[in-house]
Amino acid sequence: MKELKVLVFSASFGNGHLRAAEAVIEGIRIQEPSAIIMHLDFGDFLSKPINTMIKNIYGEIINHIPKLWGRFYYKTSMVQPRSLSQRFLNKLGRKEFLRYINVFKPDFVICTYPTVSSVLAQLRYEKVLKVPVVTIITDYTVHSHWVHPSVDRYIVACTEVKDSLIEWGIEGSRIHVTGIPVSPKFEDQTDREYILSQLGLKSNLPTFLVMGGSYGVLKSANRICKKLADSKVPVQAIIVCGKNEKLYHSLKELIIQARNPILRLEYVHNVEELMSVSDLIITKAGGLTVSEALTKHLPLVIYKPIPGQEEENAHYVQKIGAGIVAHTEAELGQLINHFLMNPGEIEKMREKAAVALPGHSTEHAVEEMLQLVNKRMLA
C-alpha cells in the first residue's frame, strides 16, 4: 500500500499556528505511523530580513499598541474573498508553494495559517493544484482572510465558527467541528498528586497557574504573583516565564518572602501536566491556549485580551461559562480574591469547561482528513 504523504504549512507569527500544526502531525503519526510528513513555515518563503521585520513589527504592536492591531483586525475582518487586496494576497509565494508540492507530491495539504490557505485554495479554484487543501482555523472566530470557497475541508473549533463560514458562503459539508487540534498529550489522564510532589507543591492547596502568550508573558506578572504570594487565603501558584529571563530573575526575592508557595518556571514542555494539577489559569486568550485549557477542563481568567482574535476567543470562553475576563489589574485582583474565597465558583466553571469541546480534537480532525483522502482515491 502506498505510504501517505502529507504537506503541512504553518507560520511562526504567534505560536498557535505552529502548535496546531504540530498537534495534527502527532495525530497523523498515531493513526498512520508510516506517513511521510513535511512541515513548512510560511515565514521561510519570505526573505530573511522581511520575515524578521514582520515578526518584530507584529510583536511590538501586540506588546505596546494592541489597540492598533485591533483596529487593523476588525477593519479587515469583512474584506470580501474576491476583493483586490485579497486577490493580491492570494498570489504571495504561489510559485514557491507549487514547486514544493510538485516535488513532494503529497496526498493532501494542511494549512494552519490563513495566507497559505487562501493561496492554495485559489490554486485549487484555478485547477492548478490537484490535491485537497485542509484548513484548520486556530481561533474561535472567523476573519475573512480564512475564507475561500475552494478549501476542500475546514477544521473548526465550534459550531459558531461553522455558522460564520456558512454565512460567508462555504458549504456546510466542507466544515467539520472537531475542536482546534491540540497535542494528544492533553487528553491523557494524569496522577495529580504525583505531579504536584514532583513540582514540590502541596496537594491540599488550590493551585493557580499563570501563563502568558508567545509574545511575552503577562505584563503585570510580578504584581499578579505578589497578590497570590501575599494572599491571606492559602494558595499556591505556578508561573511560567517562558523565555522572559528578566521576569524569571525578578521573582526570586518575591518567592523568598512569600507567605504562599510560588513556583517559577522558564520555558516548559509539560504544559499539559501543569494544567492537570491546576484549579485555575490566569492567561492570555490565544486559540490554542484556550483549547488546551478547555481540553483539561481548566477554568480560565483571561487578563486584558488583545483586541482582535484574542478578544473574540475571550468572548467565547465567557459566553460558555468556562471562564471570565479581567480588563484591568484591579478587576483581576478582585477576581483572584473572589475565587479564593468561593472555590465553588471555580468548580462551576470547570463543569462548563468539561462540556465545551467534543474531546479528542486531533483524533477527530485527522479522521476527517483521512476520509477525504480515501474518498479521493476511490473516486
Side-chain angles (χ1 to χ4, degrees):
M1 182 178 177
K2 177 179 175 291
E3 287 180 317
L4 183 72
K5 297 180 78 172
V6 186
L7 181 58
V8 182
F9 282 103
S10 65
S12 51
F13 306 128
N15 205 24
H17 308 293
L18 180 62
R19 279 155 57 199
E22 291 173 341
V24 167
I25 290 169
E26 279 188 76
I28 292 172
R29 294 203 187 284
I30 290 170
Q31 296 196 39
E32 294 285 337
S34 64
I36 301 169
I37 305 171
M38 179 182 287
H39 183 190
L40 300 175
D41 186 332
F42 171 64
D44 292 339
F45 288 82
L46 307 172
S47 71
K48 190 171 182 180
I50 290 176
N51 188 26
T52 301
M53 181 183 70
I54 292 173
K55 286 183 181 180
N56 290 340
I57 291 173
Y58 180 67
E60 288 297 309
I61 292 173
I62 292 298
N63 278 319
H64 301 295
I65 41 175
K67 287 184 180 178
L68 178 61
W69 171 256
R71 285 198 292 272
F72 172 77
Y73 178 89
Y74 287 115
K75 190 171 183 178
T76 59
S77 65
M78 297 305 290
V79 171
Q80 294 298 312
R82 299 303 302 161
S83 68
L84 183 63
S85 61
Q86 190 60 54
R87 291 204 306 271
F88 168 76
L89 288 172
N90 289 349
K91 294 180 180 179
L92 288 176
R94 57 187 277 154
K95 289 183 180 177
E96 291 81 0
F97 295 154
L98 274 175
R99 185 176 70 247
Y100 268 91
I101 291 168
N102 289 335
V103 170
F104 185 57
K105 293 182 171 52
D107 293 294
F108 65 102
V109 183
I110 301 169
C111 301
T112 66
Y113 190 65
T115 300
V116 185
S117 170
S118 293
V119 172
L120 298 185
Q122 182 61 28
L123 290 169
R124 288 287 281 158
Y125 174 77
E126 296 171 11
K127 302 188 186 308
V128 176
L129 180 61
K130 305 301 183 184
V131 297
V133 173
V134 177
T135 294
I136 299 169
I137 297 181
T138 54
D139 289 296
Y140 288 80
T141 186
V142 178
H143 188 281
S144 64
H145 197 20
W146 288 104
V147 179
H148 196 293
S150 293
V151 169
D152 294 272
R153 288 290 183 275
Y154 277 101
I155 301 297
V156 303
C158 56
T159 54
E160 288 85 346
V161 173
K162 179 174 182 176
D163 293 342
S164 294
L165 285 171
I166 291 172
E167 287 177 10
W168 274 102
I170 305 299
E171 297 172 20
S173 60
R174 294 177 180 236
I175 310 164
H176 297 276
V177 180
T178 65
I180 299 172
V182 301
S183 170
K185 293 184 293 186
F186 284 85
E187 304 285 356
D188 294 341
Q189 296 298 313
T190 54
D191 186 331
R192 184 175 187 271
E193 292 203 7
Y194 174 76
I195 295 171
L196 285 170
S197 68
Q198 292 295 106
L199 295 171
L201 297 174
K202 300 176 181 178
S203 60
N204 63 337
L205 287 179
T207 304
F208 284 14
L209 175 61
V210 182
M211 291 182 65
S214 60
Y215 281 90
V217 296
L218 304 170
K219 290 184 178 179
S220 306
N222 289 79
R223 294 189 293 277
I224 294 169
C225 287
K226 185 160 179 58
K227 291 179 190 298
L228 294 166
D230 296 343
S231 171
K232 292 181 181 178
V233 179
V235 63
Q236 59 192 359
I238 304 168
I239 176 164
V240 179
C241 301
K243 297 176 181 178
N244 191 329
E245 293 183 12
K246 183 178 178 181
L247 172 62
Y248 181 82
H249 294 298
S250 72
L251 292 171
K252 182 177 180 181
E253 196 63 30
L254 183 150
I255 291 170
I256 291 171
Q257 298 176 6
R259 175 200 299 263
N260 297 306
I262 303 285
L263 174 63
R264 60 176 178 159
L265 300 171
E266 296 179 283
Y267 191 85
V268 299
H269 297 280
N270 65 332
V271 172
E272 74 285 352
E273 291 186 342
L274 302 182
M275 287 187 173
S276 292
V277 301
S278 299
D279 298 287
L280 186 78
I281 182 171
I282 301 168
T283 187
K284 304 298 285 182
L288 267 290
T289 298
V290 167
S291 296
E292 289 164 355
L294 292 178
T295 299
K296 280 296 182 184
H297 307 164
L298 177 62
L300 303 99
V301 172
I302 296 171
Y303 181 52
K304 287 187 178 180
I306 296 164
Q309 65 267 42
E310 269 204 19
E311 199 168 55
E312 297 301 319
N313 294 339
H315 287 163
Y316 175 79
V317 169
Q318 194 155 262
K319 173 185 166 185
I320 63 173
I324 194 163
V325 178
H327 294 284
T328 66
E329 196 170 320
E331 282 184 15
L332 179 60
Q334 292 168 3
L335 286 172
I336 288 173
N337 291 334
H338 173 74
F339 288 126
L340 286 173
M341 295 293 292
N342 300 277
E345 294 297 311
I346 296 178
E347 191 54 39
K348 288 179 183 177
M349 292 196 299
R350 184 181 290 279
E351 291 170 2
K352 297 288 187 181
V355 297
L357 299 182
H360 299 279
S361 57
T362 300
E363 179 183 342
H364 295 316
V366 171
E367 286 172 356
E368 293 295 344
M369 296 174 195
L370 296 179
Q371 283 182 22
L372 174 64
V373 174
N374 290 336
K375 284 180 183 177
R376 180 171 174 266
M377 288 179 173
L378 293 172

